[in-house]
Amino acid sequence: MSVQDNKSSFSGVTIDGRMTQGITSAIPKKRQDVLKWYGWGYKDSHFYVDGQTICFQGDRYPLEGCALPYFTDWVYQKFNLKVDPTVPFPELPTDFPKPVINEDFFNDIKSLKISHSDKGEDRLIRCHGQTLHDIYNLWRNAFERIPDIIVWPKCHNDVMTIISFAHKHNVVIIPYGGGTSVSGSITCPQNETRMICILDTSQMNRMLWLSRENLTVCFESGIVGQDLERELNKIGLTVGHEPDSYEFSTLGGWVATRASGMKKNVYGNIEDLVVKVKMVTPNGVLQRECSAPRVSCGPDFNHLVMGSEGTLGVVTEVVLKVRPLPPVKRYGSLVFPNFEFGVMFMREVAKRRCQPASVRLMDNEQFIFGQSLKPVKGWLGSVFDYLKKSYVTNIKGLDLTKICAATLLFEGELEDVQRQERLIYEIAKKFKGFPAGGQNGERGYILTFVIAYIRDFALNQEIVAESFETSVSWDRCSSLCRNVKLRVENECSRYNIKHFLISCRVTQTYDAGCCIYFYFAFKYTGIHNPVETYEAIENSARDEILSSGGSLSHHHGVGKIRKKWYKETVSDIGFSLYEAAKKQLDPKNIFAAGNLRTRENQVEEKNSIPILKARL
């Protein structure tokens, strides 16, 4: 890999000999036409209250316009809260912070005829990601500093020109893809005095070339996950990368945050899928020349790009591995007497390397929560539910306050799927697990995409809720889960929080360990600063995770919310290596989002910082 100043694209072939075109994305350039400005997801999909019952509106997910009385009861029992139908969601502000304009940069951008905007609404909706802190501040119109201009490059060369202007005029660049970050990585730095330019990659979404023989494809980085898969599925292929944010996150974001997907067991994490990546830095273009499947040419600088979180440059083009679409897809589910038996099952499956495309283990709290999201059935459906519950408790002798469940997804050729199903169910039987049906598995898998919508509804009903994750070795998996839960319980007691939820699931498995995902929520009625309180408790949980042998992050990244632990996580020498790369690639610190770092590389006054002017 080398740093170059050339402007060529990746070499390769066009599809069927034709030049590829930009696609019509599910997410338009004017995002607010389709997505909520104030929270997660589509405008036409949300939880609401009808009378005293929580309901879901929208036909994109399996809840499809359902009334959810079981979920309503669960909220009351768990949080001692009766939902209020009269609480409104916030309205879009009409006043916005005035932009700070570097006139030389602004004039250069105008001369390029690249689409750009300094409208307050466009700037506001791109000043943040999806952390609880971001949304809470957004609802209260509390951002004092938002970006000053948005630019929409259409290709790699546009990005090179924009970055060269920013470097020349000392303007901050924050790359923006899908806006789904939950680490604070794209949140506008509030103390930045220079002009801030959001480089929105959404118009860079072409498939540049495809090699069917090599099963590789080159996409521009701004393509959204669901668009990427839809285009490949049309020609019988898939990348198979499916993070929880898959509907809205972009390929460039996956690379920049070192993302993981729910089907990584078959297709791999992003580092397994990337063959070659191109990143524009202020000092040139970083890329590897060869597209061979593996090279031994010193350190692999693909891994410098992956996880850089917008601090070193902008990812513009990515070569990925693709696979033929699997002819068979089947869901399944398992029930275990308790979480420990479930973890032993997961360990055995990983040890034997027989994981299906996805296998995720929920603890009892999450299992009950998932069951509460089922809609009311008719008389016959209620009878079947009673019989199933009776079977679990009376015949199997399980305690409903301890049981846990696993969701399964199998993909591949029919014979391979059937063989894998038999093996998985045999292993489950060794640990007192038994099948609970494909319908439950499919529902549990797809409901993952709905959970994020609950956060915004809960916040409007005086409940703060968020998730955090880690990875850990197998021998410490169960103890880490217990320790973190106990730490959160003790912290809640210290803050006099009586109504809260702390639960976990094992979402990805490896030879040496697994990923653990925690959900934490509490009722904040009477608490003056609920988000600060939440963050204090989560920080304590993170301290516990690290002391229990867990990682700083499995796939969310570091961003701003975890950067205080970054140096100790990578060691002093590792931190120095990162600093050296930063200095070499971005000497003026124009990629100054403030992620990963424990100190900012501030540019000294002598570096000719231009006079900043407020542009009304």
Side-chain angles (χ1 to χ4, degrees), residues 63-81:
L63 294 181
E64 282 190 39
C66 292
L68 302 167
Y70 304 142
F71 181 49
T72 307
D73 291 343
W74 179 84
V75 169
Y76 177 72
Q77 293 169 10
K78 193 71 190 174
F79 297 102
N80 190 32
L81 178 72

Side-chain angles (χ1 to χ4, degrees), residues 22 33 101 152 158 186 227 235 602:
D33 285 349
I101 296 296
W152 286 273
D158 284 353
I186 59 173
D227 295 336
I235 51 178
Q602 298 293 342

Side-chain angles (χ1 to χ4, degrees), residues 392-453:
V392 168
T393 55
N394 297 332
I395 299 176
K396 286 290 185 179
L398 303 184
D399 184 346
L400 289 179
T401 65
K402 294 182 179 179
I403 63 173
C404 70
T407 58
L408 307 167
L409 171 61
F410 302 90
E411 289 188 358
E413 298 291 336
L414 177 60
E415 290 185 2
D416 295 333
V417 166
Q418 290 174 334
R419 181 171 59 251
Q420 195 172 41
E421 283 179 315
R422 288 193 297 269
L423 179 56
I424 291 296
Y425 293 133
E426 285 174 9
I427 294 173
K429 191 175 181 179
K430 288 174 54 179
F431 300 100
K432 301 185 179 181
F434 59 91
Q439 186 177 12
N440 284 327
E442 182 175 10
R443 184 179 181 82
Y445 186 89
I446 297 174
L447 277 178
T448 299
F449 300 114
V450 183
I451 290 176
Y453 287 89

